[in-house]
Amino acid sequence: MAPSASPSSAAKPLMLGLEKILTYPTTIALCRAFITSQSAEAHKYLFTKIFEIVKQDTGRDMEFAHIHGRGSEVWTMDEHKGQALGFGMSLAQLSQNVVGYDAWQVHRLVCSLTAYEHLERCFRLCEIHFHRNIVKIKSYLSPEVMKAMRSIATTEAHPDFEKTLDLIRHGGPKARNWLYDKTTGSPFAIPALYQPRSKISLEDWRASRSSSNGVEQKHMDVNRNGKGLTLLGGVMHGFQYDAQALDAIKEHIETQVHRRHQPADHQKRAVQSVLRNVRAGSRMVESVDRKISTSIEKTSRIEEQIFQAGQRNKTGNITKAARKRLDNLCNQLEQEERERRLLVTNGSGVFSAAMALDADAG
């Protein structure tokens, strides 16, 4: 079944005053799409239909700054290959009727740009999704490799970017596969995360959204009205939700009565973000401290076993089996101490001081 897109009731903002709606601090759903395929071709078809709806509603073509010299400058999406490539393919199709030269490669016509080249000029990846996916494999990564992976999402030029990639490449199988996906499996990813490799200007990059969470929130909001619906039910639920959301905006503009008890402004979101990060950091430190405590108890048991084995073998007549067991215990002790030293760097600092005292005592 081909993906379909239907105009939302959000076409009514013009009735409320376009200038007020455009400056209202919220995300407004202009279109809800239902697709049965996540391929690049399906997303190309979807974006093409959305561009057609925009023209039907406004009487003007959808415009992009790098194609038409005006219009949308940056689009932020999550890490979905089919969606990104389909978006680039739709831009390549949109540019076929444009006569003009590219601003970065002035000898080339805009209509000759490939899908990936279009993405370099207007596409960003959601940094929250990017960091979240790194956290999923953090147990397989060293702190240095994880730091190098996170450092790719930045506007600051690396002193030696290839050296950073080489560090990730030699960081183990998971890190190597992750880098292969970013450089080969998804060629658009590095320019969409690392601004110095992108064709988006630094000013536009910093002015654009670094995450797609605002749009993701709209998914969660409408899902409260129901999930697992028929196609018609999904269309109608989305339509009704959008109408209610616009009514809430209208009431707030006209009466200053907000639909929420607390303000949903940038300052409030920034404070909440800081508090969430502090709580998450505290939970992580507590978890690491528990692991360190468990490691210390395990080390004490191993040391006791080594001591007892030494007491039993004071005569010097140690059997081969006893010697092997003693060697295994010593290896376990060294391994446990190495792992605990790594944990201490991420702990609260209480156990690092205790370990230093133990070392002085030894």
Side-chain angles (χ1 to χ4, degrees), residues 189-245:
I190 295 297
L193 291 164
Y194 184 52
Q195 190 274 331
R197 289 284 179 94
S198 172
K199 298 290 193 300
I200 301 172
S201 69
L202 183 60
E203 293 77 13
D204 289 342
W205 186 284
R206 286 177 171 170
S208 63
R209 291 184 178 273
S210 61
S211 79
S212 58
N213 272 19
V215 178
E216 299 289 344
Q217 179 66 42
K218 289 299 175 183
H219 287 302
M220 187 174 73
D221 288 344
V222 76
N223 284 345
R224 293 194 182 103
N225 280 2
K227 295 190 296 185
L229 307 173
T230 63
L231 180 59
L232 178 60
V235 170
M236 295 308 299
H237 273 249
F239 179 85
Q240 292 165 3
Y241 173 82
D242 292 337
Q244 294 166 4

Side-chain angles (χ1 to χ4, degrees), residues 106-169:
V106 294
H107 61 285
R108 293 186 59 187
L109 292 170
V110 173
C111 60
S112 69
L113 297 178
T114 66
Y116 289 119
E117 289 173 328
H118 277 285
L119 293 179
E120 287 180 359
R121 289 153 173 78
C122 67
F123 180 74
R124 281 191 66 179
L125 282 177
C126 172
E127 292 184 10
I128 291 180
H129 284 83
F130 170 72
H131 290 296
R132 188 182 299 157
N133 289 335
I134 293 176
V135 171
K136 290 179 181 178
I137 59 172
K138 69 176 182 179
S139 59
Y140 301 93
L141 308 173
S142 68
E144 294 77 14
V145 172
M146 189 169 180
K147 182 179 179 181
M149 292 165 72
R150 288 182 178 277
S151 71
I152 290 178
T154 182
T155 58
E156 303 295 331
H158 281 255
D160 190 342
F161 189 65
E162 293 303 323
K163 184 178 179 181
T164 302
L165 298 184
D166 194 56
L167 173 62
I168 299 171
R169 190 175 291 110

Side-chain angles (χ1 to χ4, degrees), residues 272-290:
Q272 289 177 332
S273 177
V274 170
L275 293 176
R276 279 197 301 269
N277 288 335
V278 169
R279 287 195 294 268
S282 298
R283 288 195 296 269
M284 184 185 72
V285 168
E286 291 172 1
S287 174
V288 171
D289 281 351
R290 285 195 296 270

